[in-house]
Amino acid sequence: MVVSRAMVLEKFAHPLVEKTFQIGEIPDGHVLVKILASGVCGSDVHIYKGEDPRTPLPIILGHESVGEIVHVSGEKVDVNGEKVSKGDWITWNRGIVCKECYWCTVARQPHLCPNRKVYGINISSKNYPYLRGGYAEHMVLLPETEVLKISKSVDPAVIAFAGCSGATAANIFDSLNKPLYEETVVIQGAGPLGLYSVIFARATGAKRIIVISGSPLRLKLAKEIGADVVLNRHTLNLSERRKRILDLTHGRGADVAIEATGSSAAVVEGLEVLRRGGTYLIAGVAVPQSPIQIKVYEHIVNKGIHIQGIWVSDTTHVIQAVSIAQRYQDTLQKMITHRMPLTKANEALDLMEKREALKVILFPD
Ligand SMILES: [Zn+2]
Ligand SMILES: [Zn+2]
């Protein structure tokens, strides 16, 4: 019998409630892990407020975690075919897909599976074994979960958020279909997704990385981790920023632009700083928002651009992000502004909402 504390969302926009769960028998094929670290994601704030249409109640939030295996009910191998057992450290794809639908089988775009279940986002804690989210001392992983054994020499806090913003950034660069060599990339937003994109752009050979954000602190960090040019949107207006980008690219504009702000309003600027024939990847807008106005002729058709929406990630991307996280551990540690005990999850959400924190990682006390 395992007794585990968790922070539960019972009512939208009301503080998470600390609850104790008793876990007896672990169902066949499930894996019980002790949480080592769980990230607080920007989307958790939306989920908390009830803005994500997928969320059932009650739910234990947290979809980016690292755990130590306590018990495997049966046999389990990781994505590399390595047997996992008690004491191993693992992370996992936060999403579980059906492997039967059109997207899983024919289109081979499993991250777009309409039946995708996600820990901490759309799996309720209502039914046994309850622990399906990372804001807890333990989690019980479903048999279909794709897990990856990780080294005990890496900071679990860094691996935790590789599972969400890291994997989504990996999906952005995977979608590009061509090398970034000699290309200029504009990244809008310097939260975890934007900064992870800086690391990926650097790792995949971009010639010049330009980051736009309103936070001097985040822009400073963007520079430290590899951005060449940073533009503060509070000190430079839209046309000044556009001019800077055109000046840096012989008047053409960026080859690639990435939306990582989470706001639809940023899309017009993204389209305007892109060169003719460039590619725009929209990755940050993760919940429904008000419509925006774009000029289809000027912004899209006449410029001959590609627009790609980036929705979540698949297991390949998780593996790529974990590999990047191991290589860039020191860089990613700089992004963690707060390490807090699990029981302070409400405070953590508050810090994220006020944008006082860049990345909060929760640890069971
Ligand atoms: Zn997330
Ligand atoms: Zn499917």
Side-chain angles (χ1 to χ4, degrees):
M1 166 86 74
V2 167
V3 177
S4 189
R5 280 184 306 167
M7 300 299 285
V8 185
L9 179 67
E10 296 186 322
K11 204 171 169 197
F12 292 123
H14 283 70
L16 308 180
V17 181
E18 188 182 323
K19 293 238 152 172
T20 302
F21 295 92
Q22 302 199 339
I23 307 299
E25 197 175 331
I26 306 299
D28 242 12
H30 287 56
V31 180
L32 173 69
V33 294
K34 181 171 155 296
I35 296 294
L36 298 170
S38 280
V40 177
C41 180
S43 357
D44 291 346
V45 177
H46 295 299
I47 296 167
Y48 163 79
K49 292 201 256 178
E51 291 169 2
D52 188 318
R54 298 172 289 173
T55 318
L57 291 176
I59 192 165
I60 301 168
L61 300 186
H63 55 264
E64 35 181 72
S65 306
V66 172
E68 180 179 321
I69 296 182
V70 176
H71 179 73
V72 182
S73 171
E75 292 260 302
K76 177 92 182 166
V77 292
D78 82 349
V79 291
N80 291 313
E82 275 193 56
K83 190 174 174 229
V84 294
S85 42
K86 190 176 174 191
D88 286 339
W89 284 16
I90 57 168
T91 190
W92 49 91
N93 185 343
R94 65 200 186 285
I96 297 162
V97 297
C98 75
K99 297 192 167 85
E100 286 177 352
C101 72
Y102 182 84
W103 288 269
C104 285
T105 59
V106 181
R108 296 195 182 167
Q109 296 164 319
H111 56 293
L112 301 180
C113 169
N115 309 312
R116 185 172 177 267
K117 290 183 280 192
V118 197
Y119 293 113
I121 294 183
N122 67 0
I123 311 177
S124 172
S125 59
K126 197 169 168 188
N127 302 315
Y128 189 82
Y130 322 114
L131 303 172
R132 306 295 200 189
Y135 291 14
E137 289 174 326
H138 295 83
M139 267 181 84
V140 183
L141 303 177
L142 289 154
E144 313 90 291
T145 310
E146 291 169 328
V147 308
L148 175 68
K149 210 191 264 198
I150 55 163
S151 156
K152 292 188 179 175
S153 63
V154 187
D155 178 2
V158 159
I159 302 293
F161 69 108
C164 182
S165 36
T168 304
N171 190 4
I172 294 173
F173 288 84
D174 192 19
S175 302
L176 272 170
N177 283 328
K178 59 174 185 162
L180 279 176
Y181 185 63
E182 284 303 299
E183 308 245 298
T184 294
V185 182
V186 166
I187 297 166
Q188 301 173 278
L193 181 62
L195 293 175
Y196 239 115
S197 298
V198 173
I199 297 171
F200 269 100
R202 195 85 291 160
T204 52
K207 177 186 173 187
R208 189 186 291 109
I209 302 167
I210 303 168
V211 177
I212 305 172
S213 161
S215 157
L217 267 174
R218 291 181 183 200
L219 288 173
K220 185 170 166 272
L221 186 54
K223 266 235 136 141
E224 272 175 54
I225 69 177
D228 301 292
V229 178
V230 296
L231 304 176
N232 185 333
R233 62 183 172 80
H234 292 318
T235 55
L236 296 167
N237 67 30
L238 187 61
S239 65
E240 288 166 335
R241 299 195 293 270
R242 184 166 173 272
K243 184 174 183 307
R244 285 287 299 278
I245 293 166
L246 291 179
D247 286 348
L248 287 163
T249 53
H250 309 281
R252 292 193 295 262
D255 302 288
V256 172
I258 296 167
E259 181 282 313
T261 62
S263 166
S264 308
V267 167
V268 172
E269 176 170 16
L271 293 167
E272 287 182 351
V273 299
L274 198 62
R275 74 161 166 84
R276 303 189 81 189
T279 301
Y280 190 37
L281 303 116
I282 305 177
V285 178
V287 288
Q289 295 173 9
S290 307
I292 56 152
Q293 281 206 312
I294 52 173
K295 298 175 187 164
V296 175
Y297 176 81
E298 292 89 335
H299 285 143
I300 302 173
V301 183
N302 180 259
K303 282 179 88 169
I305 61 160
H306 299 267
I307 299 182
Q308 167 88 51
I310 301 295
W311 179 245
V312 300
S313 53
D314 66 25
T315 303
T316 315
H317 306 131
V318 174
I319 293 168
Q320 290 169 349
V322 167
S323 157
I324 283 274
Q326 285 170 338
R327 258 168 63 203
Y328 292 85
Q329 180 175 201
D330 298 348
T331 306
L332 287 160
Q333 274 173 334
K334 290 182 190 165
M335 285 162 59
I336 303 171
T337 49
H338 298 73
R339 292 173 185 252
M340 300 169 75
L342 169 66
T343 45
K344 295 224 165 133
N346 285 305
E347 221 173 283
L349 286 171
D350 199 41
L351 286 167
M352 290 296 288
E353 178 161 27
K354 289 185 189 144
R355 293 178 164 260
E356 282 171 27
L358 174 54
K359 189 76 212 174
V360 185
I361 304 289
L362 297 175
F363 300 87
D365 335 45

